[in-house]
């Protein structure tokens, strides 16, 4: 079984909602659409308080190339364009819309029929993807059109679709692959055409045999796509890890996937691309897994962007009495929330509720130099060392120890017998060192 | 109850590992060898082990409470492991008061001086053993047996000392070898510190530690491998003057040292490459001492010497970075 | 007998020879790698406090000492830990003009005690303000105030800043503070400011750094500045400005009259180290209705807050 070359851990999978078919969540009465729900510059609002909007209508325009358009997820009246409190409790600009019915903007094809053939030119495809505001839906929310616009002098050789879903608990991509397989593969074909690549791979972790079998059956009628089962090992779905697992090529330090000829897109993103190109449907809804051991009925919900997380929790049986931690995303890389009324964004792959002891960290003790973090690190770093150096603010040696390579996967902390908050400090150090590196690069350009 | 939501940076889950679990696994791995020691040397082994463990724990508790003034660390069982390992490095006939001194040196000087678990550069149990070996050479090298029958079977001197004396006296190695029964060595019917005895059961413990992922294979294999290569070369050059590799691997502290002492976390390197270099260094130094040194056994010294090198290995030997050219 | 004499003689001879050889090597190495250094640097370094706090901008005291000796104009070099007296002494020793700087003290501009600013969640990560600041709003609903995990405490080399477990805030011991600025740099929220040090450590300042709108501030904290500008109107010295919903008292203009303190509806403006008796009571006719109005507003906000809390 293929896997990435070094490190990794195997947390309990806990895929509680794997058998739950995708359910369409009832339309919310109001939505709060954050203007910054992607990596890059925030979008610029194009509507004002009191404006009437239709579902799928552009309401905020990308604030640059690395940015993304945002469309109205419902039809109704804009009630505010102002700061709202996000999941982390911080204030962020957003458009709030009150729903009146569900009237879609013109030109959006809502039929279920799968259209495989795409006659558009690569440039037209990318333009359509850009217009539809599609971003990476695995959680990193990097604008899709940026990855597809291969810089001059570089060439894409493979398209890799990330259907790994290595985060424990989450099953949204799994259900999408099972239930929307044909659209997904059609999306892959479109993405491959946009990139001009001959060969596409869909990497799926081996704990989803049903999805692998299903796609393998479908793929016979598509050219140039291969389904690759992967070993169940976290972080198999890390971009660099996935490329290495499938192609054997390792993205060098500081380089991008395109430097080894690879472009990676998430499985749900591929479906969104299909909808955008073939059906003119912008990215306004996504599948969100609502799960947790104490959640009454874990579910995979198709929710409109901007729906309050609390509404999703209600749909899954309500927030459990003993809930102590609510996580936006998976348990390895997700972000703990303080405001449960914060909205679903394009990158919300799951909502995980933790109760009781599970929600708390064990008290940290002393480092015993067991080197488990070193052998768990999928980037070949020494977490114990860079964590300590970050605490001591030794920025220069940290750069030499390649802290910038850290993908913040959390393997080191997961495995640490002393329960040390290794990654907490590494993140600080990484942010600081990358800031220094960027400043230096900018100074050199001048 | 406090119903406020908890917030922490990711990851939000933790593996089953804990310091205590690791130390408990080491103790489990050492248990079978202890049982054999009791059979071979009698109940005094249990007494020595108990005294060693209790005094190690007590000293760690007292030092942590009154000198370091920090929260108690005895719950992580590391002092128990040090106690057992120290006991395994002592002959069964040792007077109890010497064991207490050994424990004080091991914990007090070997471990807590540097700040406790994870910070000591030298293996505490070995610091204790070497201190005792130099201070009480007579008590440290005599051996008692549980039954007279066993005493007949095994010579009073340890096999290594017996062979060393023999070779010094000009007896050919083959003649000495004829007096050695490998089966006895494997099962533990021989003289020595009581943890050195049961090679086979120590290897069973090694397998357990590997399965539980407490240690990796790198250090033990590097130590034993380099010892085998070193002694093998000598043996090929002159089988009359040097003992066979198998003899060296089964005697003295080769297995106890390589599996349980050299792999001590805080005193060994953090990278696999470093571990291999470190292990090979221990093997070579052990063989140098055994072959040409004044002591019949050199494992303790070899480990302590390489302990001193471990931090350098950590500094200069880096793990294979992802994306680095192969 | 002869034998041990021989041993003794040889031992002495060998050891002496070794010693002589080592001395010779050391001498030549010292000669070869000798670094010419102004001896005055050592002297100046001795006069400095030796805390290596970095407040002067150099990595350590020796860095400053070197600069003091080598630069002709030392007006920009100042060790606030040493103070004016020592700087004068150093300048006199070097025969230069002593740099001058108004004495300063670190001030924690946050009044969000546990009582005034309720905790809305519990942080369970590494105990560092920087970690919290990079992750989320913090344990309260205020995204500007003191996080209370003591990055500044760890940064202070003079033991001048401590966390008060009752209030959850950090407090500066003005007598120990040398205004080196280490805490200012360490605070990820920019809560700490170096302000003019008045006699008897007195001071008047706005104990809040929140730029949120008044309603949002009150929702999160009862001691925050709501940007109402009452203090601006009452200040006779034009020392107060409100920018981005936050009042700021210019320490250069403030004369410690404390009129603003009485005027502030939330108590965000504080006067420290004054004798307990109040100055002049502010004219009640003007102030009372305003204060009341604000109080009503506060109550409304509280009710709202309670409502949201029960929802959660």
């Amino acid at each position: 079984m293929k896997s990435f070359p070094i490190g990794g851990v195997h947390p309990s999978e806990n895929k509680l909602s794997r058998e739950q078919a995708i359910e369409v969540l009832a339309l919310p009465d109001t939505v709060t659409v954050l203007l910054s729900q992607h990596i890059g510059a925030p979008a610029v609002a194009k509507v004002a308080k009191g404006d009437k909007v239709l579902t799928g209508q552009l309401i905020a325009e990308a604030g640059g190339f690395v940015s993304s358009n945002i469309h109205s997820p419902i039809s109704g009246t804009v009630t505010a364009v102002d700061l709202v409190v996000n999941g982390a409790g911080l204030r962020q600009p957003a458009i709030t819309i009150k729903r009146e019915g569900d009237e879609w903007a013109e030109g959006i094809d809502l039929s279920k029929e799968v259209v495989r053939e795409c006659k558009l030119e690569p440039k037209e495809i990318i333009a359509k993807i850009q217009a539809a505001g599609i971003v990476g839906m695995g959680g990193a929310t990097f604008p899709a059109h940026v990855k597809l616009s291969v810089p001059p002098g570089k060439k894409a050789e493979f398209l890799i679709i990330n259907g790994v879903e290595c985060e424990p608990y989450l099953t949204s991509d799994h259900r999408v692959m099972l239930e929307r397989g044909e659209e997904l593969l059609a999306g892959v074909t479109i993405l491959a055409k946009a990139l001009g690549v001959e060969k596409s791979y869909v990497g799926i972790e081996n704990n989803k045999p049903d999805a692998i079998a299903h796609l393998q059956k479908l793929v016979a009628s598509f050219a140039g796509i291969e389904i690759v089962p992967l070993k169940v090992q976290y972080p198999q779905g890390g971009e660099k890890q996935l490329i290495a697992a499938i192609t054997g090529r390792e993205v060098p330090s500081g380089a991008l996937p395109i430097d080894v000829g690879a472009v990676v897109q998430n499985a749900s993103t591929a479906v969104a691309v299909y909808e955008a190109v073939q059906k003119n449907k912008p990215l306004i809804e996504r599948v969100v897994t609502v799960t947790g051991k104490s959640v009454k009925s874990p579910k995979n919900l198709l929710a409109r962007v901007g729906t309050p997380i609390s509404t999703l929790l209600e749909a899954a049986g309500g927030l459990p009495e003993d809930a102590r931690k609510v996580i936006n995303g998976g348990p390895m890389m997700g972000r703990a929330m303080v405001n449960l009324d914060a909205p679903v964004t394009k990158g919300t792959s799951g909502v995980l509720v933790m109760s009781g002891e599970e929600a708390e960290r064990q008290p940290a003790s002393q480092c015993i130099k067991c080197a488990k973090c070193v052998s768990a690190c999928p980037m070949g770093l020494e977490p114990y060392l860079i964590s300590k150096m970050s605490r001591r603010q030794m920025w220069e040696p940290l750069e030499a120890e390649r802290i910038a390579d850290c993908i913040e996967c959390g393997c080191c902390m997961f495995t640490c017998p002393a329960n040390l908050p290794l990654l907490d400090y590494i993140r600080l150090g990484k942010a600081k060192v990358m800031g220094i590196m960027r400043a230096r690069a900018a100074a050199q350009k001048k | 109850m406090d119903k406020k939501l908890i917030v922490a940076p990711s990851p939000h889950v933790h593996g089953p590992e804990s310091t205590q679990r690791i130390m408990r696994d080491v103790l489990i791995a050492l248990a079978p060898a202890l049982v054999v020691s009791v059979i071979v040397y009698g109940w005094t082994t249990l007494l020595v082990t108990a005294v060693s463990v209790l005094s190690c724990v007590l000293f760690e508790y007292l030092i942590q409470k009154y000198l370091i003034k920090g929260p108690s660390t005895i719950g992580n069982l590391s002092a128990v492991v040090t106690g057992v390992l120290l006991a395994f490095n002592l002959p069964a006939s040792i007077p109890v008061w010497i064991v207490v001194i050994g424990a004080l040196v091991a914990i007090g000087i070997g471990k807590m001086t540097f700040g406790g678990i994870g910070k000591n550069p030298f293996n505490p149990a070995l610091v204790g053993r070497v201190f005792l070996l130099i201070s009480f050479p007579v008590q440290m090298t005599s051996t008692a047996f549980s039954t007279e029958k066993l005493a007949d079977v095994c010579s009073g001197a340890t096999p290594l000392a017996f062979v060393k004396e023999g070779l010094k006296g000009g007896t050919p190695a083959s003649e000495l070898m004829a007096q050695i029964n490998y089966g006895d060595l494997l099962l533990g019917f021989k003289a020595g510190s009581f943890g050195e005895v049961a090679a086979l059961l120590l290897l069973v413990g090694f397998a357990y530690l590997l399965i539980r992922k407490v240690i990796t294979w790198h250090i033990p294999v590097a130590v034993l491998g380099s010892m085998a290569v070193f002694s093998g070369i000598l043996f090929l050059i002159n089988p009359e003057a040097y003992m066979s590799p198998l003899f060296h691997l089964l005697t003295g502290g080769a297995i106890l040292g390589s599996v349980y002492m050299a792999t001590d976390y805080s005193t060994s390197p953090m990278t696999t490459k470093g571990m291999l270099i470190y292990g090979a260094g221990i093997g070579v130094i052990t063989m140098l001492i055994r072959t040409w040194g004044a002591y019949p056994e050199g494992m303790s010294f070899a480990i302590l010497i390489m302990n001193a090198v471990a931090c350098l290995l950590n500094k200069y030997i880096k793990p294979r970075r992802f994306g680095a050219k192969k | 007998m002869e034998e041990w004499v021989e041993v003794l003689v040889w031992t002495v001879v060998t050891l002496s020879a070794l010693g002589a050889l080592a001395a010779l090597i050391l001498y030549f190495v010292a000669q070869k790698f000798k670094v010419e250094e102004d001896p005055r640097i050592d002297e100046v370094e001795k006069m400095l406090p030796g805390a290596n706090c970095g407040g002067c901008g150099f990595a350590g005291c020796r860095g400053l000492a070197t600069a003091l000796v080598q630069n002709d104009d030392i007006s920009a070099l100042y060790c606030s830990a040493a103070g004016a007296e020592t700087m004068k002494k150093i300048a006199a020793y070097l025969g230069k003009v002593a740099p001058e700087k108004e004495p300063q003290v670190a001030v924690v501009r946050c009044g969000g005690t546990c009582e005034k600013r309720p905790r809305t969640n519990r942080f369970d990560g590494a105990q560092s303000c920087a970690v919290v600041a990079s992750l989320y709003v913090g344990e309260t609903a205020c995204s500007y105030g003191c996080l209370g995990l003591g990055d500044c405490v760890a940064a202070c080399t003079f033991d001048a800043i401590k966390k008060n477990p009752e209030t959850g805030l950090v407090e500066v011991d003005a007598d120990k503070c040398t205004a080196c600025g280490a805490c200012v740099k360490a605070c990820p929220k920019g809560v700490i400011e170096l302000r003019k040090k008045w006699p008897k450590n007195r001071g008047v300042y706005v104990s809040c750094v929140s730029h949120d709108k008044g309603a949002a501030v009150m929702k999160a904290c009862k001691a925050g500045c709501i940007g109402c500008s009452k203090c601006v109107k009452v200040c006779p010295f034009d020392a107060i400005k409100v920018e981005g919903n936050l009042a700021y008292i210019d320490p250069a203009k403030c004369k410690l009259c404390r009129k603003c303190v009485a005027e502030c509806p939330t108590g965000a403006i504080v006067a420290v180290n004054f004798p307990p008796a109040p100055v002049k009571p502010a004219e009640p006719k003007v102030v009372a209705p305003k204060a009341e109005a604000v109080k009503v507003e506060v109550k409304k906000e509280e009710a709202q807050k309670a409502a949201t809390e029960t929802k959660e």
Side-chain angles (χ1 to χ4, degrees):
Chain A
M1 191 78 53
K2 284 185 171 175
S3 188
F4 54 94
I6 37 180
V9 292
H10 186 188
S12 309
E13 289 160 37
N14 287 319
K15 304 271 190 186
L16 309 172
S17 51
R18 57 178 303 147
E19 300 299 336
Q20 305 299 317
I22 298 169
E23 242 175 74
V24 180
L25 182 71
L27 291 182
D29 294 333
T30 49
V31 291
T32 314
V33 187
L34 299 180
L35 290 179
S36 183
Q37 43 183 306
H38 46 260
I39 286 181
V44 182
K46 287 285 148 196
V47 290
K49 189 177 172 179
D51 286 1
K52 294 271 178 201
V53 291
L54 298 175
T55 310
Q57 180 187 328
L58 184 74
I59 53 173
E61 222 165 52
F65 179 63
V66 184
S67 181
S68 179
N69 285 345
I70 292 170
H71 302 77
S72 178
I74 53 171
S75 63
T77 313
V78 175
T79 55
V81 181
D82 199 5
L83 299 179
V84 299
V85 179
N86 69 8
L90 300 166
R91 271 158 228 284
Q92 221 183 311
I95 300 171
T96 309
I97 302 165
K98 195 167 184 320
R99 186 172 69 89
E100 289 146 16
D102 187 29
E103 200 180 320
W104 287 68
E106 233 173 279
I108 299 174
D109 177 3
L110 290 173
S111 67
K112 292 272 175 218
E113 188 196 345
V114 179
V115 186
R116 288 194 184 187
E117 202 185 353
C118 172
K119 284 182 181 153
L120 297 173
E121 289 296 308
K123 272 195 179 159
E124 293 170 313
I125 295 175
I126 296 173
K128 263 192 140 174
I129 290 171
Q130 184 169 9
I134 291 173
V135 301
M137 289 163 77
T141 64
F142 195 76
H145 65 269
V146 181
K147 273 192 192 175
L148 295 174
S149 312
V150 178
K154 287 175 185 169
K155 195 178 149 26
E157 293 171 56
F158 328 92
L159 167 67
I160 296 174
I161 298 300
N162 188 344
V164 175
E165 203 158 52
C166 57
E167 275 273 7
Y169 288 97
L170 301 189
T171 56
S172 53
D173 286 347
H174 181 189
R175 292 314 302 185
V176 166
M177 287 188 285
L178 266 182
E179 297 176 35
R180 308 193 64 184
E182 195 180 352
E183 286 146 292
L184 186 149
L185 294 177
V188 176
T189 322
I190 294 165
L191 282 167
K193 190 173 178 189
L195 285 166
V197 300
E198 306 272 293
K199 188 81 196 165
S200 305
Y201 299 94
V202 183
I204 307 174
E205 222 174 32
N206 206 32
N207 55 5
K208 295 176 262 296
D210 47 354
I212 295 171
H214 179 64
L215 289 182
Q216 240 150 12
K217 210 163 64 190
L218 283 175
V219 86
S221 56
F222 289 87
I225 307 180
E226 189 186 326
I227 310 297
V228 189
L230 297 165
K231 189 181 162 195
V232 184
Q233 178 91 336
Y234 180 87
Q236 196 72 263
E239 195 170 48
K240 292 180 174 181
Q241 277 64 36
L242 184 60
I243 296 168
I246 290 181
T247 68
R249 297 186 188 179
E250 291 180 19
V251 181
S253 178
L256 294 170
I258 192 67
D259 295 318
V260 296
V263 173
V264 182
Q265 292 288 357
N266 172 267
S268 294
T269 314
V271 175
V273 163
Y274 161 81
E275 287 184 331
V277 176
Q278 304 293 65
K279 305 273 182 176
N280 290 322
K281 187 178 156 196
L283 179 53
I284 55 164
E285 58 183 5
R286 64 158 300 141
V287 180
V288 182
T289 303
V290 183
T291 184
K293 284 179 185 154
S294 54
V295 170
K296 208 182 273 169
S297 46
K299 276 184 179 160
N300 298 296
L301 296 165
L302 181 66
R304 297 279 167 93
V305 166
T307 311
I309 299 280
S310 48
T311 309
L312 271 70
L313 286 166
E314 286 306 319
L319 185 69
E321 275 289 297
D322 57 348
R324 298 299 307 280
K325 204 184 219 179
V326 180
I327 298 158
N328 180 346
M332 292 302 287
M333 291 187 76
R335 295 178 71 111
M337 301 178 64
V338 282
N339 174 23
L340 302 186
D341 291 325
V344 169
T345 65
K346 292 175 182 177
T348 308
S349 47
V351 178
L352 169 62
V353 179
M354 285 184 166
S355 300
E357 265 183 31
E358 192 190 12
E360 288 189 61
R361 283 192 184 177
Q362 295 296 309
S365 53
Q366 281 185 8
C367 173
I368 55 169
K369 310 260 170 70
C370 64
K372 282 180 192 289
C373 56
V374 179
S375 48
C377 180
M379 296 308 291
L381 307 176
E382 293 161 282
Y384 78 98
L385 184 68
I386 53 177
S387 183
K388 195 166 76 183
M389 286 174 154
S390 296
R391 274 185 95 153
R392 295 188 185 164
Q393 315 192 342
M394 300 158 74
W395 313 129
E396 269 172 45
L398 270 173
E399 191 180 341
E401 293 291 341
R402 298 179 49 172
I403 194 173
D405 283 3
C406 172
I407 58 168
E408 304 180 23
C409 63
C411 287
C412 49
M413 248 172 100
F414 175 85
T415 195
C416 180
N419 295 301
L420 291 169
L422 296 168
L423 185 53
D424 294 12
Y425 291 108
I426 293 175
R427 263 198 212 96
L428 286 184
K430 181 186 167 189
K432 181 79 187 177
V433 169
M434 288 187 76
I436 293 171
M437 287 165 74
R438 268 196 296 270
R440 194 174 49 219
Q444 272 171 359
K445 260 187 193 170
K446 277 177 196 170
Chain B
M1 202 189 91
D2 186 11
K3 276 198 143 185
K4 282 176 198 141
L5 286 179
I6 297 172
V7 178
S10 64
H12 305 284
V13 281
H14 192 272
E17 243 117 18
S18 74
T19 307
Q20 196 190 26
R21 191 179 110 131
I22 286 168
M23 296 301 165
R24 198 164 49 223
D25 278 339
V26 175
L27 292 175
I28 292 171
L30 285 167
L34 182 63
V35 172
V36 169
S37 308
V38 173
I39 295 169
V40 176
Y41 301 116
W43 294 105
T44 46
T45 41
L46 267 191
L47 177 73
V48 171
T49 312
V51 169
S52 171
V53 168
L54 285 177
S55 20
C56 279
V57 172
L58 183 72
F59 288 134
E60 175 155 332
Y61 175 78
L62 293 176
I63 293 172
Q64 185 73 17
K65 186 163 182 186
Y66 294 106
L67 293 177
I68 296 181
K69 297 195 171 75
S72 171
T73 51
I74 55 172
N76 63 33
L77 299 180
S78 66
V80 179
V81 171
T82 304
V84 173
L85 286 176
L86 176 65
F88 270 40
N89 276 290
L90 303 173
S93 56
I94 193 140
V96 167
W97 60 273
I98 294 187
V99 180
V100 177
I101 292 177
L104 179 62
V105 172
I107 294 292
I109 296 175
K111 187 177 178 189
M112 304 311 279
T113 313
F114 301 97
I117 185 168
K119 293 180 180 160
N120 50 303
F122 298 104
N123 186 319
L126 284 179
V127 171
R129 173 194 154 96
V130 167
F131 178 86
L132 294 183
L133 191 64
I134 294 167
S135 311
F136 309 99
V138 178
Q139 289 91 331
M140 281 295 285
T141 47
S142 62
T143 311
F145 289 97
S146 59
T147 62
E148 273 183 32
K149 186 175 168 286
L150 271 172
D152 285 343
V153 175
C154 314
S155 58
T158 65
L160 275 171
F162 164 71
V163 167
K164 190 144 197 163
E165 283 306 308
L167 289 174
K168 228 186 203 172
T171 323
S174 55
E175 217 168 277
L176 292 169
M177 208 113 94
Q179 296 178 39
I180 305 246
N181 181 333
Y182 283 117
D184 284 348
L185 293 182
L186 207 54
L187 292 173
F189 296 121
K190 64 185 180 198
S193 298
F194 63 84
E196 294 177 353
V197 294
L200 190 65
L201 289 168
L202 287 172
L203 286 175
V204 171
F206 178 34
Y208 177 77
L209 291 180
L210 286 181
I211 291 165
R212 297 282 286 178
K213 294 189 176 155
V214 172
I215 56 170
T216 58
W217 56 268
H218 300 86
I219 293 175
V221 169
V223 175
L224 298 175
S226 62
M227 280 176 74
V229 170
F230 195 107
S231 56
I233 291 170
L234 291 180
F235 187 67
L236 285 179
I237 293 172
N238 186 354
E240 287 303 305
Y242 303 102
M243 296 301 284
S244 78
L246 192 58
F247 172 79
H248 279 291
L249 294 186
L250 291 179
T251 52
I255 292 171
L256 180 72
S258 62
V259 176
Y260 299 90
M261 318 282 278
T263 53
D264 174 37
Y265 285 150
S266 52
T267 60
S268 63
M270 309 279 279
T271 62
T272 48
K273 259 183 277 176
M275 286 177 189
L276 291 174
I277 296 171
Y278 165 87
I282 291 174
V284 169
I285 296 173
T286 304
M287 287 312 301
L288 286 174
I289 297 174
R290 279 190 184 185
T291 315
W292 293 293
Y295 283 95
E297 168 60 315
M299 190 51 106
S300 319
F301 296 104
I303 294 174
L304 287 174
I305 291 167
M306 288 311 286
N307 281 169
V309 183
C311 64
L312 284 177
L313 291 173
N314 280 339
K315 187 159 182 193
Y316 293 108
I317 310 283
K318 291 292 160 190
R320 177 172 102 69
R321 310 288 201 200
F322 182 94
K325 278 186 190 120
K326 284 174 219 169
Chain C
M1 276 302 121
E2 265 185 16
E3 199 182 335
W4 74 259
V5 171
E6 201 178 327
V7 168
L8 196 72
V9 168
W10 273 112
T11 313
V12 170
V13 167
T14 346
L15 282 177
S16 314
L18 272 174
L21 187 70
L24 215 62
I25 293 171
L26 280 175
Y27 174 76
F28 280 113
V29 170
Q31 282 297 310
K32 181 142 194 202
F33 296 101
K34 197 171 174 185
V35 181
E36 285 296 342
E37 214 170 34
D38 196 324
R40 290 181 302 167
I41 294 175
D42 281 333
E43 288 304 312
V44 173
E45 194 186 357
K46 270 183 212 155
M47 286 189 243
L48 290 169
N52 294 319
C53 66
C56 52
F58 293 92
C61 295
R62 190 163 186 89
L64 178 66
T66 313
L68 282 168
V69 170
Q70 288 170 351
N71 297 10
D72 287 330
D73 176 16
I74 59 168
S75 57
L77 304 169
Y78 194 84
C79 173
S80 42
E85 277 302 303
T86 313
M87 290 315 289
K88 261 182 216 157
K89 236 191 267 170
I90 293 172
Y93 171 75
L94 295 171
K96 295 174 185 175
V97 184
E100 271 180 46
K101 204 175 173 188
E102 197 174 49
Q104 284 184 313
V105 66
V107 168
V108 181
R109 289 192 298 159
C110 177
T113 57
C114 298
E115 195 187 314
K116 298 259 168 107
R117 186 174 56 148
R119 292 342 191 210
T120 58
N121 62 82
R122 184 158 69 76
F123 180 66
D124 192 29
Q127 296 297 299
S128 151
C129 303
V131 170
V132 174
S134 64
L135 183 71
Y136 79 125
V137 63
E139 285 189 318
T140 70
C142 172
S143 59
Y144 290 92
C146 174
L147 298 168
L149 292 178
D151 280 11
C152 50
V153 178
C156 182
T157 27
F158 302 97
D159 198 25
I161 193 160
K162 285 226 170 62
K163 187 181 168 179
N164 182 339
E166 260 173 48
T167 59
L169 297 173
V170 288
E171 289 168 4
V172 178
D173 182 338
D175 290 324
K176 286 186 184 167
C177 176
T178 62
C180 71
C183 52
V184 177
K185 271 184 228 156
C187 180
K189 288 293 184 187
V191 170
I192 306 177
E193 185 196 0
L194 293 180
R195 287 178 72 90
K196 181 179 172 183
K197 189 173 185 175
W198 294 85
K200 294 184 187 167
N201 296 328
R202 287 178 176 173
V204 171
Y205 58 93
V206 181
S207 190
C208 180
V209 288
S210 173
H211 286 285
D212 275 339
K213 284 180 187 159
V217 169
M218 285 206 276
K219 205 170 170 180
C221 174
K222 286 173 211 152
C225 171
I226 52 173
C228 67
S229 298
K230 282 184 183 169
C231 49
V232 177
K233 283 168 208 150
V234 84
C235 180
F237 308 104
D238 194 23
I240 310 180
K241 279 207 169 63
V242 172
E243 261 171 38
N245 302 313
L246 178 66
Y248 179 75
I249 304 177
D250 187 347
K253 290 182 183 167
C254 176
K255 302 268 192 272
L256 300 190
C257 75
R258 286 172 284 157
K259 277 190 178 151
C260 52
V261 179
E263 192 70 17
C264 181
T266 59
I269 303 182
V270 294
V272 290
N273 295 323
F274 284 95
V279 228
K280 272 184 207 165
E283 294 151 52
K285 272 179 194 169
V286 192
V287 179
K290 270 189 193 170
E292 220 164 71
V294 171
K295 260 184 207 157
V296 172
E297 208 176 327
V298 170
K299 271 183 197 151
K300 213 195 286 167
E301 290 293 336
E302 270 174 0
Q304 255 177 26
K305 195 176 175 334
T308 47
E309 263 177 357
T310 42
K311 225 189 273 169
E312 276 174 23

